[in-house]
Amino acid sequence: MKALRIAAAALLIIAAIGAIGAKYFAPSGYAHQFRETPDASPSGQHPLGTDELGRDRFARLLYGMRVSLLLAPLAAAVATALAAFLGGIAGYFGGWIERCLMVVVDLFLCIPWLFLLITVRAVLPLNISPEASVVVTFTLLGLLGWAASARVICAGTRDMMKSEFVWLARASGFSGLKLLRLHLLPNLKPTLLAQFWISIPVFIIAEANLGVLGLGVSEPLPSLGSLLRELQQMVTLRPEPWQFVPLLVLILVVSSFQTLLNKHEVRV
Amino acid sequence: MLRSLSLGFLRLLAIMVLAGLLGATLMRIAPGFGSDEQQLNSSLSSQSIQAIRQARLADSDIPRYYGHYFASLIRGDLGISQSLNQPVRDLLRDRLPVTLRSIGIALSLAWFLGLALAMAGQLLNSTAFTFLSEGLSGTFISTPAAVLALLFVLLRLPPELAAALLVFPKIYRYCHNLLQQSYGLPHVLTARAKGAGRWRILTWHVAPTALPQLLALVGVSISIVIGVLLPIEVICDVPGIGQLAWQAAESRDLPLLVNLTLVVAFITVCATMLSDAARRRFVRSAA
Amino acid sequence: MKRLRRLQFLFALALIFSTTALPAQNGGELRFCLSGEPKTLNPLAVQDNQSETVAYLTSGVLVRVNRITQKAQPELATEWKVLDGGKRIRFKLREGAHYSDGTPFSSADVAYTMQKLMDPALHSAVGDAFRSSEGKVSTRIVSPTVIEIIFPAPVANLVNLFDTVAMVSSASPLKEMAALGPFYIAEHKSGSYILLKRNPYYWKKDSNGRQLPYLDAVRLEIEQNRELEALRFRRGEIHLINIVSPAIYDKFSAQDRGLVRDAGPSADTEQLWFNQAPTAAIPAYKLAWFTSTNFRRAVSEAINRDDLARVVFRGHARAAIGIISPANRFWFNDKLKPHPYDTASALRRLQQDGFHLDNGVLRDKGGNPVEFSIITNAGNPARESMATMIQEDLKKIGIKVNIATLDFPTIIDRITQKFNYEACLLGGVNGDLDPNSQMNIWLSSAENHQWNPSQKAPATAWEAEIDTLMRAQASSGDEHKRKQAWDRVQEIAWEQEPFIYLVNKDALVAVASNVKNAQPSALRPQTFWNVEELALK
C-alpha cells in the first residue's frame, strides 16, 4: 500500500505540474485551430491528435486539467464542509432543530435546481469571461451538492452523542461547537472523506453537463468534462483510443485522491 | 405509534407541497417561461404569436395556479401537459411504473455490488482485491452517465445495469470507509485479540456499529439513483418519467413539472423516513 | 392451326401474368423515427415537425408539390384555376375518393376544412398564410366535385399553399382522424411509437393500375437521441433517417456508400445577426456598431465561410449567399455571389466607421474595445462549432467574441421579449419554397423581424423599401413580378446584411438498401415525400 500511495502522490504531482505548466508543455494554444487537419491522428506535432475543429488535444487536456482539477476539489470541499456543518448541528442538537434541518435536506434533494441554475445564468452578464463562468459554476455545485451527505452525517452524529467518549468529553466541560469540532467531526471523517472523494468526479462531469444551460466553461476554454463529451458519439462514430485519454486521466486522478485519502487502512 | 405515523404523514405532505411550490416558483422566475418555439415560426401572424404566448403565460400567477392545482388534485385531475397535450395523469400512469421498476433494480444491484465489495475487501484482507475494487469504483464514478448509457445501448445491455454501475461507487465508498472506521474501535480490537474469526468480527462487532449510518445512506441512495436514472432514461429512450422531466424542463411545462416534483418528493421522503425509522428501531433494540 | 392458336393463347397469358407480376413490390412495414412525441394528431392544428410528419403520411391534399421537380401536381384536385389575380381559386375534385372509413370525399369537405382552418382560435400557420388581409375567406360549392374558394385579397403562392392543407371530413364519425392519405393511424403508444396502416380506400394507383401504397404499414418510433437513431439504422431496425449529421454521413459512407445520400443543398439557412432594437439592453456604443452597415459587412467579410462548410460540415455545405438557398431554383437570385473572405477589406470598412487597431485590439472611435457575445442554442454541435470558428476568425481583426450556449426557451425569451442579447446564431428552416412564407421576417412591423422587431415605422430607408416590395409581391398574382420583387429584396439583404448568412447545409439522408423507389429530396420530408411509392424488397 505504501508503494501505491507513493505512486498516487507522484501521479498527482505530475498532473499538477502538467496543468500548471500547460503553457510550456502544450505544443500550441488550446484555442488555436489547425483547420487543415481536423480530427487528425496523433503525430509528432500533435501527441494526441486534433479535435473536430483542428485544436490540439494534448494542449486542451493540459489546460482542461487546470480548470477541473483545481476547481472540482475546491467545490467538493465546500460541499463537504456544508454537509459537516449542517448535518453535525442537526445531529448534535436533535429535536426540532434536527427535524427542521432534515426537512431542508429533503427539500434540497427534491427541488429541480435546474431552474435556479438557468436563472443564475440569466443574471450573469453574457460577456462574462470563461474563467469567471466556471468559478461560478463550481461554486454553485458546491453550494447545492451537500444534501445527501448531510443526512448520513446527521445520523452518525446522533449515534455518537450517546457514546461513552462523548459523555466523557461533555463531563470534561466540552460542549457546543467545540465538542462538534474536536470530538464529533473527527470521528465522522470516513463519511466526510467519502463525500469529498465522490464529489470530485461528479462535479467535473456535472460542469460539462451544465454547458447545456450556458454555465460551465465556455469556448474556447476546455475542461475535463467538456473533453469527455466527445465520447458521447461513441455509439456511431467509434472514438479512437486517444479520445479516451481524458477519461483515463480523470480515473487515475480520482483513484489517486482515493488512495492518498485512505492512509489509515486497517487490516483485520 | 399513531402519533409518529401522523407526524410522518404531515411531514411528507409539507415537504411535497413546499417542493412543488418552490419548483414551480423557480421555473416561473427562470428565463424562458412562457416561451414557445412557435414564436419563431415566420408563417404565424402577430395575433397568433401573441395568442400562443398568452396561453403559455396563463399560469404565470404561481400561488393562484398552485391553489387551483390542489383543488383539481382532490378531484384526481393532475392537469394537461402543455408540451405533450395529454393529461398528466395518463402520462404518469404509463411511465411511472417503468421508472419505479428501474429504480428498484438499479438500487438493489448498486447496494449488492457496493456492500459486497466493501465487505469482501475487509474479509479477504488482500491488497490486490482492494486495489481492484477501488479501481473499479474509481472508473465508474469518473465515467459520464451519457457515455456509459450509450455503451450499454451499443452492447444491448439493460440501462438499469448502467445506473447501478454509476451508483455503486458511492455506496462502496461510504460502506468501505464506515467499515474501516468500525474495525479500529476498541471492542473490535478486543474481539480480535480474543481470537474471533473474521466473519464473526464483521457480522457481530463491526456491522452493528456501521449500520445506523448505512441505514441513513439507504434513504439518500434512492435520490442518488433517481438523479442518475433520469438522464439515462433520456439517453437510452426508456419511456419513464426521466423523459418527462427533461421534456418539462426543455419546454417549461409547468403542470408536468409540478407533478413530477411531487412524485420525486414523495419517493425521496418516503425512502428517508423508512430508513430513519429502521435506524431508530435498530438503535433502540441494540441499546 | 389449333396448336398454333393454343400456343398464341398461352403466350398471351404468359405476357399478361408477367406484366402484372412486375413490379414485384408488396407489403411490409416501413420504419423510421420521430424525434419526439407529436403534440397533436389533428392535421389542421399541426405546430411541430412530428405532427407534420404524421399529417403528411395520413392526410390528403388538393395539390402536392413534387419535391424533385418543385412543381405542383394534381392530388385530390385534378384541375385548378386561379382567378381574379389570386383572389379566387376554383378546384375540380377527383371523383371516387374516399376517407379511410369509406366516407366519400366531396366539395363539402373542402368547404368544411377551410372553415375550420380559418378559425382564428386555431392559430394555424397554414390558416395565417391564407390571411392576406382582413376579411373572411369564403367558399362556394358549385357541385360535389367543383368548389371555389374566395379570399378578401390576392394570396401569394396560392396553389402551393394547398400542399399543406389536409382535407378533413365533414361527415365522417371519425372526424379529423379519418384519413385521405395513404395511411391511417392504427395505434399510438405515447412515448413509444405510432403505427400507421394502409388506407384501403386510398385513391391513387400506379401506372399498372395497382392500388397504392405498396407498403402495408409505417411504424414511427419515437426516438429523441440522434445517436441511437443512427445505431438503429445501422442495425437494420429502421429504414430511413431524414437528417443525418455530416460525421455520421461520412462514417456510414465509408462502410457502405449506398446507405447514405447527399441530396444537395437544402433550403435551410444558418445565420448570425446583431441586436438592433432601440430598446435593447445593451450599451449605446454597441448599438451604434450593430446598426452600422459597414460593421456588419466587415464582420461578414472576416468570417471564413468556406472553412465553416469544410470543417464543421465536412464539405457537405456551401457558403451561403443570401436569404434564399440555391436549392430553391425559381426564387434564388443567381446574380448574387457569396461575400468574399477578406480580412483586409473588413478592416478597411471598419476604418471608415472610425474603428482602429490598437495592439491587436480593435477599438471604436470612442476608444471602446470591440467585444460582444454570441448566443446560440446548446445541444446543437454544429452551431456551437460554427460559433467557435467565428470567434477565432474575428480575433484576427481584433474583435473579442464571447460565446454563450443557452437552452432554447431562454434564447426565445431573449430575442423576442427581453432583447437582452448582442448577437445570435440560429438557423432558418424553410419548408415552403415560396419566400412569401418569410413575410413575417422581412416586414419591419413583424414580430419575427429578428434584428429589430415590431417597428412602428421602418427604422431605415432600406427596410422601408423592403416593406414596399414585400407588400407588392404579396398582393400580386403575377409570378414574374413577384420574382422581380424578391430579387430586389435579396439584393438589399445582401448589401445590408441584417442577417449574416453563413452556410447552406446539404440535405444528408440515410436510406436502407432494401427500400425501393426512394428519391431523396433536399426539401422536407426528404426521404418519404413519395411514401405511397416506397416499397420494401
Side-chain angles (χ1 to χ4, degrees):
Chain A
M1 279 310 279
K2 191 176 175 188
L4 270 175
R5 271 195 278 280
I6 292 170
L11 200 108
L12 285 176
I13 289 168
I14 291 170
I17 291 172
I20 293 165
K23 194 175 163 189
Y24 306 104
F25 297 120
S28 64
Y30 60 81
H32 186 85
Q33 297 167 4
F34 296 91
R35 293 184 182 179
E36 298 310 315
T37 50
D39 284 318
S41 302
S43 63
Q45 193 187 5
H46 305 293
L48 289 178
T50 59
D51 68 6
E52 74 277 1
L53 295 184
R55 297 175 297 192
D56 186 271
R57 281 186 204 277
F58 184 60
R60 290 180 69 74
L61 178 64
L62 290 177
Y63 282 95
M65 285 198 312
R66 187 193 275 190
V67 168
S68 301
L69 298 184
L70 173 64
L71 294 175
L74 282 175
V78 167
T80 306
L82 273 172
F85 180 67
L86 292 169
I89 294 222
Y92 176 79
F93 287 107
W96 66 269
I97 293 179
E98 182 192 355
R99 279 195 283 274
C100 287
L101 280 172
M102 288 304 108
V103 165
V104 171
V105 164
D106 285 343
L107 274 175
F108 251 78
L109 292 173
C110 306
I111 288 172
W113 291 113
L114 182 76
F115 299 104
L116 175 69
L117 298 172
I118 293 174
T119 306
V120 166
R121 186 60 190 96
V123 166
L124 294 174
L126 285 174
N127 284 312
I128 189 171
S129 68
E131 293 82 6
S133 170
V134 78
V135 166
V136 167
T137 303
F138 277 109
T139 306
L140 281 170
L141 288 172
L143 292 173
L144 296 175
W146 55 271
S149 193
R151 256 199 171 270
V152 180
I153 288 166
C154 174
T157 310
R158 286 288 282 137
D159 295 331
M160 239 180 274
M161 289 298 289
K162 299 183 192 107
S163 60
E164 286 173 8
F165 76 91
V166 170
W167 286 353
L168 199 60
R170 289 169 87 176
S172 308
F174 284 92
S175 65
L177 282 174
K178 207 168 176 182
L179 181 71
L180 192 66
R181 190 168 52 86
L182 292 175
H183 293 277
L184 294 169
L185 287 181
N187 284 286
L188 289 167
K189 215 157 85 172
T191 311
L192 294 172
L193 286 176
Q195 161 74 10
F196 179 75
W197 176 83
I198 287 165
S199 298
I200 297 171
V202 166
F203 286 171
I204 288 174
I205 292 164
E207 173 273 313
N209 292 334
L210 289 177
V212 180
L213 308 176
L215 286 165
V217 105
S218 55
E219 291 284 1
L221 190 66
S223 67
L224 269 186
S226 65
L227 295 175
L228 290 173
R229 275 169 69 187
E230 260 193 319
L231 297 176
Q232 288 183 23
Q233 293 182 302
M234 69 184 330
V235 162
T236 43
L237 298 182
R238 305 282 195 275
E240 303 294 347
W242 49 89
Q243 288 176 294
F244 285 93
V245 170
L247 181 61
L248 186 64
V249 165
L250 182 59
I251 291 170
L252 287 173
V253 165
V254 162
S255 302
S256 301
F257 265 116
Q258 178 181 246
T259 307
L260 285 179
L261 290 170
N262 286 344
K263 56 184 180 177
H264 299 300
E265 196 87 351
V266 173
R267 293 268 149 231
V268 176
Chain B
M1 169 82 165
L2 194 63
R3 183 170 173 269
S4 102
L5 274 173
S6 313
L7 281 173
F9 179 73
L10 280 171
R11 183 168 175 266
L12 173 66
L13 212 59
I15 291 174
M16 284 174 69
V17 168
L18 273 173
L21 186 61
L22 284 171
T25 306
L26 281 175
M27 180 187 260
R28 174 65 186 92
I29 61 174
F33 183 80
S35 298
D36 192 302
E37 263 189 57
Q38 283 300 295
Q39 286 174 253
L40 298 182
N41 186 343
S42 58
S43 300
L44 283 171
S45 65
S46 252
Q47 291 88 336
S48 294
I49 291 175
Q50 284 304 319
I52 288 168
R53 185 158 167 76
Q54 287 311 311
R56 292 303 297 262
L57 286 173
D59 298 326
S60 56
D61 184 346
I62 289 295
R64 183 189 285 188
Y65 168 79
Y66 215 47
H68 188 70
Y69 169 77
F70 275 106
S72 308
L73 189 61
I74 293 165
R75 291 195 308 271
D77 177 10
L78 301 183
I80 307 279
S81 161
Q82 289 169 342
S83 55
L84 296 172
N85 239 356
Q86 294 176 45
V88 176
R89 187 179 54 196
D90 293 350
L91 289 169
L92 288 178
R93 186 193 57 218
D94 292 338
R95 294 174 185 243
L96 193 55
V98 174
T99 301
L100 287 175
R101 180 182 163 274
S102 300
I103 289 173
I105 294 172
L107 198 62
S108 313
L109 279 173
W111 267 99
F112 173 75
L113 205 53
L115 200 55
L117 281 176
M119 286 171 65
Q122 300 303 323
L123 287 172
L124 292 174
N125 195 22
S126 157
T127 307
F129 184 85
T130 306
F131 182 72
L132 201 67
S133 306
E134 310 256 294
L136 209 62
S137 69
T139 301
F140 284 109
I141 204 166
S142 306
T143 305
V147 173
L148 196 66
L150 288 171
L151 180 64
F152 270 56
V153 169
L154 196 59
L155 299 173
R156 297 186 204 252
L157 293 170
E160 296 87 2
L161 186 56
L165 288 174
L166 291 167
V167 172
F168 102 83
K170 298 168 189 176
I171 294 170
Y172 166 76
R173 190 76 260 150
Y174 276 111
C175 291
H176 175 87
N177 287 11
L178 284 170
L179 292 177
Q180 273 291 101
Q181 182 191 29
S182 301
Y183 268 99
L185 292 173
H187 69 282
V188 176
L189 294 173
T190 308
R192 281 173 64 197
K194 287 188 173 176
R198 286 180 191 177
W199 181 253
R200 191 179 171 88
I201 287 173
L202 181 64
T203 51
W204 280 69
H205 301 281
V206 170
T209 318
L211 202 54
Q213 287 190 62
L214 286 177
L215 285 170
L217 185 60
V218 169
V220 298
S221 63
I222 291 190
S223 67
I224 295 172
V225 163
I226 292 174
V228 163
L229 201 56
L230 295 195
I232 286 181
E233 284 191 350
V234 175
I235 292 158
C236 298
D237 236 30
V238 175
I241 63 170
Q243 278 189 356
L244 287 183
W246 186 242
Q247 180 81 28
E250 267 203 321
S251 31
R252 306 294 196 267
D253 189 336
L254 188 60
L256 200 50
L257 178 88
V258 167
N259 283 288
L260 287 173
T261 306
L262 292 180
V263 166
V264 169
F266 179 81
I267 297 172
T268 305
V269 176
C270 283
T272 54
M273 277 168 53
L274 283 170
S275 74
D276 279 349
R279 189 180 57 79
R280 276 194 299 272
R281 197 178 169 85
F282 175 80
V283 166
R284 264 201 300 271
S285 63
Chain C
M1 203 57 185
K2 243 182 168 177
R3 195 174 169 204
L4 183 63
R5 266 196 225 126
R6 200 183 296 154
L7 278 170
Q8 281 172 339
F9 174 69
L10 285 170
F11 178 74
L13 262 183
L15 199 62
I16 290 165
F17 278 120
S18 66
T19 51
T20 50
L22 287 171
Q25 298 153 337
N26 177 351
E29 181 184 86
L30 184 76
R31 291 184 299 275
F32 58 95
C33 293
L34 294 178
S35 58
E37 187 79 36
K39 281 191 182 165
T40 177
L41 296 177
N42 177 354
L44 292 180
V46 158
Q47 294 175 5
D48 54 299
N49 286 341
Q50 295 78 26
S51 308
E52 208 175 302
T53 297
V54 175
Y56 188 94
L57 294 168
T58 57
S59 303
V61 292
L62 295 180
V63 164
R64 178 66 81 205
V65 173
N66 184 304
R67 274 22 178 200
I68 302 294
T69 63
Q70 299 183 9
K71 296 261 179 278
Q73 58 191 30
E75 278 280 301
L76 288 167
T78 54
E79 293 167 34
W80 56 86
K81 199 176 171 73
V82 178
L83 305 160
D84 283 350
K87 278 177 79 171
R88 279 193 301 142
I89 184 164
R90 178 186 281 233
F91 288 104
K92 180 160 186 345
L93 305 179
R94 194 174 294 279
E95 292 183 24
H98 289 79
Y99 285 87
S100 52
D101 62 349
T103 310
F105 166 69
S106 72
S107 46
D109 300 312
V110 178
Y112 176 73
T113 299
M114 290 308 293
Q115 183 207 339
K116 284 276 173 209
L117 188 68
M118 301 314 295
D119 181 358
L122 190 63
H123 303 305
S124 158
V126 178
D128 282 351
F130 282 120
R131 279 191 197 95
S132 50
S133 75
E134 297 295 319
K136 211 167 166 294
V137 174
S138 58
T139 52
R140 188 170 77 89
I141 296 176
V142 176
S143 74
T145 54
V146 177
I147 184 165
E148 257 183 36
I149 305 171
I150 305 126
F151 301 92
V155 176
N157 191 35
L158 181 57
V159 174
N160 287 5
L161 280 176
F162 282 94
D163 172 272
T164 53
V165 180
M167 292 293 127
V168 295
S169 174
S170 58
S172 165
L174 295 179
K175 299 269 182 252
E176 59 269 354
M177 298 306 284
L180 263 178
F183 301 94
Y184 69 93
I185 299 171
E187 279 172 46
H188 176 200
K189 187 161 183 228
S190 173
S192 198
Y193 68 88
I194 298 175
L195 181 64
L196 309 177
K197 284 194 176 160
R198 193 170 187 275
N199 178 0
Y201 290 97
Y202 188 50
W203 59 270
K204 206 182 266 194
K205 292 179 166 48
D206 68 8
S207 54
N208 294 316
R210 188 175 159 194
Q211 195 195 13
L212 296 174
Y214 293 127
L215 297 164
D216 285 332
V218 174
R219 190 180 176 94
L220 305 172
E221 298 281 346
I222 294 169
E223 178 62 77
Q224 294 184 6
N225 189 309
R226 301 278 65 77
E227 290 285 312
L228 294 185
E229 182 187 34
L231 178 67
R232 292 174 77 168
F233 178 82
R234 208 64 197 92
R235 284 180 177 165
E237 291 170 18
I238 59 172
H239 299 101
L240 305 172
I241 305 181
N242 246 2
I243 299 173
V244 171
S245 75
I248 291 176
Y249 179 95
D250 285 349
K251 191 82 180 183
F252 282 4
S253 185
Q255 292 162 0
D256 179 351
R257 283 200 75 84
L259 279 180
V260 287
R261 303 191 208 182
D262 184 339
S266 67
D268 299 344
T269 54
E270 296 287 326
Q271 62 263 20
L272 172 74
W273 73 88
F274 291 101
N275 186 355
Q276 298 182 52
T279 54
I282 54 180
Y285 64 87
K286 287 196 179 183
L287 191 60
W289 303 342
F290 303 154
T291 50
S292 156
T293 305
N294 269 338
F295 182 84
R296 296 193 301 272
R297 290 288 297 267
V299 166
S300 173
E301 282 175 354
I303 294 172
N304 191 331
R305 290 171 173 77
D306 288 336
D307 273 2
L308 293 179
R310 185 173 52 79
V311 175
V312 177
F313 296 95
R314 297 171 181 244
H316 300 292
R318 52 214 74 192
I321 297 167
I323 63 182
I324 293 173
S325 159
N328 194 339
R329 292 191 284 270
F330 179 75
W331 294 102
F332 171 62
N333 183 345
D334 54 16
K335 291 192 190 64
L336 299 173
K337 300 284 170 255
H339 289 277
Y341 170 57
D342 189 342
T343 49
S345 171
L347 282 168
R348 279 196 299 273
R349 282 188 191 274
L350 289 166
Q351 275 160 12
Q352 286 171 20
D353 270 13
F355 292 88
H356 61 280
L357 272 174
D358 175 17
N359 261 346
V361 174
L362 189 73
R363 291 181 186 273
D364 66 7
K365 52 188 172 210
N368 302 299
V370 180
E371 179 180 344
F372 60 84
S373 58
I374 296 178
I375 60 172
T376 191
N377 56 315
N380 187 315
R383 277 191 202 133
E384 292 177 26
S385 296
M386 278 198 287
T388 309
M389 289 184 72
I390 290 169
Q391 184 185 47
E392 271 302 286
D393 283 342
L394 295 183
K395 200 166 143 186
K396 292 176 188 152
I397 59 169
I399 295 179
K400 186 176 176 207
V401 170
N402 303 302
I403 299 168
T405 53
L406 306 173
D407 65 311
F408 211 52
T410 303
I411 290 202
I412 295 172
D413 193 45
R414 281 181 183 264
I415 66 176
T416 64
Q417 298 300 313
K418 298 202 173 83
F419 306 112
N420 53 352
Y421 72 101
E422 292 172 341
C424 183
L425 171 59
L426 279 182
V429 171
N430 295 315
D432 194 348
L433 284 171
D434 193 299
N436 194 59
S437 58
Q438 297 187 42
M439 184 81 159
N440 288 331
I441 294 176
W442 294 100
L443 270 183
S444 60
S445 55
E447 295 229 1
N448 278 315
H449 192 69
Q450 303 294 8
W451 64 93
N452 186 1
S454 307
Q455 296 177 36
K456 290 194 171 46
T460 59
W462 59 269
E463 283 172 289
E465 187 182 350
I466 289 181
D467 280 359
T468 309
L469 289 164
M470 292 301 296
R471 292 200 175 94
Q473 66 83 31
S475 56
S476 168
D478 183 338
E479 269 209 346
H480 179 67
K481 284 198 175 122
R482 291 186 64 223
K483 167 82 169 124
Q484 280 181 324
W486 269 105
D487 278 352
R488 181 61 192 140
V489 170
Q490 288 177 73
E491 278 168 20
I492 298 171
W494 190 93
E495 283 156 15
Q496 299 294 333
E497 292 209 85
F499 286 128
I500 297 172
Y501 288 95
L502 300 170
V503 294
N504 293 124
K505 303 175 286 196
D506 284 0
L508 305 176
V509 303
V511 179
S513 51
N514 62 336
V515 175
K516 291 188 73 175
N517 305 333
Q519 297 178 67
S521 157
L523 306 173
R524 287 176 166 72
Q526 295 89 327
T527 53
F528 59 88
W529 66 271
N530 61 337
V531 67
E532 67 275 10
E533 293 170 358
L534 296 181
L536 294 172
K537 272 188 235 171

